[in-house]
Amino acid sequence: MLQQYSFNSLTAVDIEQLVTRNTDATHAIQNAVSQIIDDVRQRGDQSLRELALKFDKVALEKLYLEKEDIQALASTITRDQQRALEIAFQNIHKFHSSQLRRERVVETMPGVACWREVRPIEKVGLYIPGGSAVLPSTLLMLGVPARIAGCKEIVVCSPPQQTGKINGFVAYCLQLLKIEKIYLVGGAQAVAAMAYGTESIPKVDKIFGPGNQFVTKAKSMVQSMVNVSIDMPAGPSEVLVVADHSAQPTFVAADLLAQAEHGPDSQAVLVATSADIIQRVNDELQKQLDVLPRAEIANMALKNSYAIEVTDLHEALDFSNRYAPEHLILETDEWKSLLPRITNAGSVFLGHLTPESAGDYASGTNHTLPTSGYARSYSGVSVDSFVKKITFQHISRDGLLHIGSTVETLAELEGLHAHKNAITIRR
């Protein structure tokens, strides 16, 4: 089960090694992704068809599904399943709708008015992972804020299933979002297609979505190669659970396994205030793992995971902030007092009855979050991710009199006399 460490016995080098994950030391991933990007850029749709056959084992006649196909697939799921997706859609929409606010005009000095206005990013690309688990929830997490922001064109890419199509759950989410086309492209090749454009797939301005290390590497590479931006580095999923004597080992084990079943390169970290808690959680992990359908995948992830014994909750938060987890769960009665100490985390789940899976699906917060320590500098996806904020200013005659001499002086001391003249000629 989880390999155990004592925080007090770890050196700074030990801690740095523990918090570092998903590296590409040999550049094997980068080299493979570079070849895919170059091939898609040069050969477009033909490359995508060949890569679908190679990686997805599907021979595609066409690279997309349109409205009629989507409607037919959406009709294959039950009404209970449709209702669950509708509730998730509504909660995500309600939470994200509150993020779009108009800012006030600020008069920095008499006659000098400054403000910002929101404009949507016109063309956005949404990558919806396939692999071992198809994630319609990710389509909602990305599509809802894109719709709220008012993006004019939403391009969706997701790996094809063995049928050469998508499943009914993704199709129903497309209907909820009023998106009438989806491209059957996965992996690094989907990122390349949206970055450069192909005969079928439009070039976009910004690419969103989580994925494996190949997808994450592709996103990082294309933003430095072509004029496209990305939401964040969102790679293999991870969770860090802080637990003390008040924690329920069954809950903690369930939360760790919920993350571990994402994929073999996921990571689940336990930070506990005693060795006894760690042992009880390990025992419970084995019990729950034995009956888990994705036990093999989860077990591989657990081999990549560990537990840290700490003296107290403050020490636990010190380690958590160094790790900067995608998901942080505080399984303690004392969670309120710990909130001010949290400085680095993608999304935080508070108390014994708030599992990370609620945020993954339906509480309303976004589950597309920074991984691999990038929570130190990135936020999760929000409506802000899909908009630009443009600054405006207006200066009246009175305002020019107030600000003019200041600008002239500053321009002159920098030796930029044309800047100074642009003020002087108006006075």
Side-chain angles (χ1 to χ4, degrees):
M1 288 288 96
L2 297 177
Q3 186 172 353
Q4 185 174 337
Y5 301 91
S6 172
F7 184 75
N8 291 327
S9 66
L10 296 172
T11 67
V13 174
D14 294 333
I15 292 173
E16 185 61 29
Q17 288 177 340
L18 284 173
V19 302
T20 301
R21 60 268 194 202
N22 297 317
T23 58
D24 184 25
T26 64
H27 302 294
I29 294 173
Q30 179 174 319
N31 293 337
V33 169
S34 180
Q35 291 177 15
I36 291 172
I37 291 172
D38 287 345
D39 194 50
V40 172
R41 180 172 58 83
Q42 293 172 19
R43 300 197 301 123
D45 284 359
Q46 183 59 33
S47 173
L48 297 178
R49 288 190 180 91
E50 291 174 10
L51 290 168
L53 187 61
K54 178 179 179 180
F55 294 120
D56 303 309
K57 312 303 180 188
V58 176
L60 295 174
E61 292 183 13
K62 61 179 183 178
L63 292 173
Y64 55 86
L65 300 176
E66 295 183 281
K67 185 176 181 179
E68 294 75 14
D69 300 309
I70 292 168
Q71 287 177 337
L73 290 165
S75 68
T76 63
I77 69 174
T78 69
R79 181 57 195 145
D80 285 345
Q81 292 166 337
Q82 291 177 352
R83 183 60 182 150
L85 291 170
E86 288 165 6
I87 292 171
F89 174 88
Q90 290 161 6
N91 288 351
I92 295 165
H93 196 283
K94 185 174 183 179
F95 178 74
H96 287 76
S97 292
S98 69
Q99 298 168 5
L100 198 57
R101 294 188 178 94
R102 183 167 185 168
E103 298 181 16
R104 66 187 182 91
V105 177
V106 177
E107 192 171 57
T108 56
M109 60 194 316
V112 180
C114 302
W115 69 97
R116 296 198 305 174
E117 292 188 12
V118 171
R119 299 290 186 273
I121 297 172
E122 292 188 11
K123 296 181 180 181
V124 296
L126 313 184
Y127 180 70
I128 313 305
S132 61
V134 180
L135 304 177
S137 56
T138 298
L139 179 54
L140 294 179
M141 295 292 176
L142 298 176
V144 168
R147 279 292 183 219
I148 292 171
C151 300
K152 291 182 180 178
E153 187 170 358
I154 301 174
V155 176
V156 181
C157 287
S158 190
Q161 302 296 290
Q162 291 300 304
T163 58
K165 297 181 178 180
I166 56 172
N167 67 30
F169 310 112
V170 171
Y172 194 71
C173 290
L174 289 170
Q175 286 194 326
L176 291 173
L177 293 163
K178 295 180 170 56
I179 295 173
E180 297 183 348
K181 180 179 280 190
I182 184 171
Y183 296 93
L184 303 171
V185 184
Q189 58 269 31
V191 175
M194 291 187 284
Y196 287 97
T198 71
E199 298 92 327
S200 296
I201 301 178
K203 181 186 186 306
V204 301
D205 299 314
K206 189 171 183 179
I207 298 172
F208 295 79
N212 59 23
Q213 293 187 66
F214 290 87
V215 170
T216 304
K217 180 64 71 174
K219 287 169 63 181
S220 298
M221 290 175 67
V222 296
Q223 73 170 341
S224 65
M225 298 164 67
V226 65
N227 58 334
V228 65
S229 61
I230 66 170
D231 51 354
M232 73 192 84
S237 201
E238 61 200 33
V239 69
L240 187 147
V241 180
V242 172
D244 67 1
H245 66 279
S246 66
Q248 295 273 2
T250 53
F251 294 174
V252 174
D255 290 337
L256 293 170
L257 288 171
Q259 206 62 49
E261 74 172 353
H262 269 295
D265 51 1
S266 295
Q267 192 168 64
V269 176
L270 171 61
V271 182
T273 54
S274 75
D276 178 63
I277 296 170
I278 295 173
Q279 183 57 55
R280 291 166 64 196
V281 169
N282 267 333
D283 292 343
E284 190 60 38
L285 279 172
Q286 191 58 63
K287 291 179 187 176
Q288 296 185 27
L289 191 64
D290 288 342
V291 296
L292 200 64
R294 292 170 66 87
E296 184 178 355
I297 291 173
N299 194 45
M300 286 189 283
L302 290 178
K303 290 178 180 177
N304 186 42
S305 304
Y306 55 86
I308 301 283
E309 181 188 352
V310 293
T311 304
D312 54 33
L313 291 172
H314 287 180
E315 201 168 76
L317 264 294
D318 287 344
F319 180 83
S320 176
N321 286 326
R322 295 191 202 186
Y323 184 90
E326 177 190 19
H327 306 100
L328 170 61
I329 302 177
L330 301 184
E331 292 257 10
T332 169
D333 291 341
E334 307 301 320
W335 60 266
K336 285 184 180 179
S337 66
L338 297 177
L339 298 188
R341 298 185 66 88
I342 300 170
T343 56
N344 299 322
S347 191
V348 186
F349 302 81
L350 305 170
H352 307 295
L353 302 179
T354 315
E356 180 263 328
S357 51
D360 263 359
Y361 291 110
S363 64
T365 60
N366 207 290
H367 79 201
T368 307
L369 303 164
T371 65
S372 303
Y374 283 103
R376 298 184 190 97
S377 55
Y378 282 86
S379 305
V381 163
S382 67
V383 173
D384 281 348
S385 308
F386 291 89
V387 301
K388 305 156 292 185
K389 296 185 178 180
I390 303 172
T391 58
F392 294 83
Q393 54 196 282
H394 176 263
I395 300 176
S396 66
R397 173 60 59 185
D398 188 42
L400 192 64
L401 293 175
H402 279 94
I403 202 171
S405 60
T406 298
V407 176
E408 287 174 328
T409 299
L410 293 173
E412 190 169 39
L413 70 85
E414 290 191 350
L416 299 176
H417 295 283
H419 280 64
K420 176 185 177 182
N421 187 57
I423 292 289
T424 305
I425 204 169
R426 287 174 164 82
R427 295 181 63 169

